[in-house]
Amino acid sequence: MCLAIPVRIEALIDAERALADIGGVRKEINIALVDDLSVGDYVILHVGYALNKLDPEEAARTLALFEELGQLQEAYDEAQAGEGGA
Amino acid sequence: MKYVDEFRDGEKARALAEQIRKEADPARRYHLMEFCGGHTHAIFRYGIPGLLPENVRLIHGPGCPVCVLPIGRLDMAIALARRPEVILCTYGDMLRVPGSGRESLMKVRAEGTDVRMLYSPADALKIAQQNPDKEVVFFAIGFETTTPPTALVIDQAAKLGLKNFSVFCNHVLTPAAMHAILNTPEADSGALELDGFIGPAHVSTVIGSAPYEPFPQQYKRPVVIAGFEPLDVLQAILMLIRQLNDGRCEVENEFIRAVSREGNLKAQAAVSRVLELRASFEWRGLGAIPESALQIRSEYAEFDAEKRFGVEQLHGRENKACECPSILRGVKNPRDCVLFGDPCTPDNPLGSCMVSSEGACAAYYSYGRFSEGRIPAEELRA
Ligand code: SF4
């Protein structure tokens, strides 16, 4: 019941309401808890209320970390395979 | 879905799992508690225990609001629902939780009382406006994630001058429960094996990371706040293992895309305008914890269902064979319960941990096949 999902703001109605894309459907959500929203921002939506904005730069940074790890893993696997073949 | 799919990539999950195996010291064991039921659910849904080496163990914490609500409070909600003038509204999971004598809101509804399931607390206001001759009571439960919407709804009811709306407030606090877990008799005796916490995702978007700072300082337990997707959880496990290996003990934040140190100040202000600390609140499994829950401020007393209806404090009768209390303290596993799977199932829950998908028993039951066997390292690499 604590589940919350990231949704994209499609249109602002007033200071407390916006339309968001929820699984392809536009729905009205309450944005009274989050300041300075613009169309295109992503928010975490919980029981009809936006709880916080998602920071795209920080998200990219976290993903880059995983990317790096994946590449390390590949290099490691290749090295292992190389050793095995020698 | 953006910000979801990228954090579920199977390839990267395997790379993370492999890294965990490389860095986990075979000479020691790592007992990591995911506090939050949202993590418990994700961990089982994505088979994370199977990806971990034998010496990295996950313990399921009490962060499931449905699970920790004591039976007495549920009995009080049932008593409210039985009042002929009341329409009781609550979140879906609460309908199925067994109260004393295995009564539930669902059963009470079948008796002809008006109990309604809500998606959003804002809907309770609409129901109140549509039913001026009825008393609409919102049975509010939840941790810090769910609290700001409840506070806004009470504030809005005041602005609208609604005379037939009130809230039965059962909002509880995460840090208080973490303190309680580290102060049980089992924690004192060493029976609780716990080396670090995976901190909640959405709770932390509201409260920030600062409230976790006492845990490394006071109890020498590191905390890593993590998002709810499988890569987030694996990354947090890796970060905890690194802290423990390095002898570091701090609060780290894996969920930086949504959590800051101070949290959402606007949401915190909305909550403290309407709600205040309760002197003490009873938790299933953890007992009475001081300042661990919120109540409605006296300025908003007319919206407090406990005051409006003079609800008597009930204590409830636990099902003695149900192990939920020990599971919620992190010292037992759902499989330790003789009722698990037969007769207790999600369709026929005998305890609260089998009701919500965030409860440990329900997660074990639904995804249990992943939880036992560990995937051998060779297969992981293949
Ligand atoms: S299996 Fe059912 S009865 Fe046993 S601990 Fe879990 S919820 Fe309680």
Side-chain angles (χ1 to χ4, degrees):
Chain A
M1 73 145 280
C2 280
L3 278 196
I5 50 165
V7 298
R8 185 177 185 273
I9 301 289
E10 299 293 329
L12 297 168
I13 302 171
D14 56 31
E16 300 205 340
R17 295 175 304 151
L19 290 178
D21 175 15
I22 304 174
V25 186
R26 276 188 170 209
K27 282 208 175 126
E28 192 182 306
I29 65 166
N30 184 303
I31 53 166
L33 296 167
V34 188
D35 278 331
D36 303 326
L37 280 181
S38 330
V39 170
D41 282 343
Y42 277 80
V43 293
I44 295 180
L45 180 73
H46 176 61
V47 299
Y49 291 76
L51 280 186
N52 225 338
K53 219 190 311 197
L54 276 157
D55 184 330
E57 279 168 30
E58 295 291 10
R61 213 172 305 180
T62 305
L63 284 171
L65 215 77
F66 301 146
E67 201 64 53
E68 214 173 284
L69 206 58
Q71 283 162 4
L72 277 180
Q73 183 62 38
E74 246 168 62
Y76 174 83
D77 287 347
E78 271 165 31
Q80 290 285 88
E83 262 171 45
Chain B
M1 211 189 322
K2 194 169 150 89
Y3 296 120
V4 171
D5 299 335
E6 317 90 286
F7 294 90
R8 291 186 182 170
D9 183 305
E11 198 78 6
K12 298 203 179 79
R14 275 186 291 278
L16 273 168
E18 185 58 31
Q19 195 62 27
I20 289 172
R21 279 170 198 266
K22 261 187 242 156
E23 296 192 26
D25 177 356
R28 65 181 289 179
R29 277 151 64 94
Y30 302 83
H31 303 95
L32 311 177
M33 175 180 276
E34 85 276 2
F35 178 85
C36 178
H39 280 137
T40 306
H41 180 76
I43 282 164
F44 282 98
R45 177 163 174 203
Y46 297 102
I48 287 177
L51 294 172
L52 301 175
E54 195 61 42
N55 59 335
V56 178
R57 296 269 157 126
L58 295 173
I59 314 160
H60 320 304
C64 158
V66 175
C67 305
V68 295
L69 190 78
I71 288 182
R73 299 292 292 186
L74 182 66
D75 290 346
M76 289 160 78
I78 291 175
L80 277 169
R82 285 217 166 105
R83 297 176 75 104
E85 74 278 27
V86 164
I87 300 177
L88 188 91
C89 308
T90 192
Y91 297 117
D93 281 341
M94 286 317 297
L95 266 56
R96 300 192 300 123
V97 184
S100 293
R102 298 197 53 199
E103 274 195 320
S104 67
L105 285 170
M106 195 116 91
K107 284 193 187 152
V108 176
R109 180 164 74 174
E111 290 168 8
T113 63
D114 200 342
V115 176
R116 302 192 193 179
M117 194 180 111
L118 290 185
Y119 159 68
S120 167
D123 299 338
L125 286 183
K126 283 190 208 128
I127 296 171
Q129 286 169 316
Q130 289 158 358
N131 296 275
D133 51 335
K134 287 280 196 175
E135 281 286 341
V136 173
V137 180
F138 172 42
F139 175 20
I141 68 155
F143 283 89
E144 293 90 334
T145 322
T146 316
T147 312
T150 301
L152 284 189
V153 162
I154 295 174
D155 199 39
Q156 212 190 337
K159 286 191 183 125
L160 292 169
L162 282 183
K163 294 284 172 241
N164 64 330
F165 175 78
S166 59
V167 172
F168 177 39
C169 182
N170 293 276
H171 285 294
V172 289
L173 303 172
T174 299
M178 287 172 64
H179 281 285
I181 285 174
L182 295 168
N183 284 299
T184 58
E186 289 106 334
D188 294 340
S189 73
L192 171 73
E193 299 181 290
L194 193 148
D195 301 311
F197 286 102
I198 299 172
H202 297 145
V203 160
S204 307
T205 68
V206 174
I207 67 173
S209 64
Y212 304 103
E213 285 163 10
F215 299 99
Q217 287 160 13
Q218 240 175 289
Y219 303 97
K220 303 279 169 281
R221 295 320 201 283
V223 179
V224 176
I225 296 161
F228 276 139
E229 300 305 332
L231 295 190
D232 292 318
V233 177
L234 285 165
Q235 175 70 15
I237 292 170
L238 182 60
M239 288 164 79
L240 279 169
I241 289 173
R242 284 180 179 164
Q243 283 205 42
L244 292 164
N245 285 353
D246 298 350
R248 277 182 299 128
C249 187
E250 42 197 77
V251 175
E252 288 183 302
N253 182 4
E254 186 279 337
F255 199 38
I256 42 172
R257 61 188 184 277
V259 174
S260 61
R261 183 167 183 273
E262 66 279 4
N264 182 343
L265 296 174
K266 201 175 180 192
Q268 291 168 24
V271 170
S272 56
R273 195 162 52 237
V274 179
L275 305 172
E276 62 185 7
L277 279 178
R278 249 180 224 272
S280 175
F281 193 77
E282 181 80 22
W283 293 58
R284 177 173 285 158
L286 295 167
I289 310 179
E291 303 195 331
S292 63
L294 300 170
Q295 65 189 14
I296 298 169
R297 282 186 186 278
S298 54
E299 297 93 297
Y300 292 88
E302 57 179 308
F303 301 102
D304 188 339
E306 285 178 71
K307 292 192 179 129
R308 183 186 288 231
F309 300 99
V311 186
E312 188 196 341
Q313 183 72 44
L314 299 175
H315 293 287
R317 271 176 289 126
E318 290 274 353
N319 175 343
K320 288 220 175 61
C322 169
E323 295 283 9
C324 285
S326 311
I327 293 170
L328 292 165
R329 286 196 301 274
V331 289
K332 279 199 176 163
N333 180 290
R335 289 192 190 277
D336 297 326
C337 174
V338 293
L339 305 177
F340 179 80
D342 180 18
C344 185
T345 63
D347 287 331
N348 176 40
L350 299 178
S352 60
C353 301
M354 192 56 100
V355 174
S356 159
S357 62
E358 293 156 35
C361 296
Y364 262 65
Y365 188 84
S366 307
Y367 304 105
R369 59 189 184 282
F370 300 121
S371 70
E372 297 297 82
R374 306 253 158 174
I375 300 170
E378 312 77 64
E379 262 176 59
L380 204 63
R381 246 173 249 150

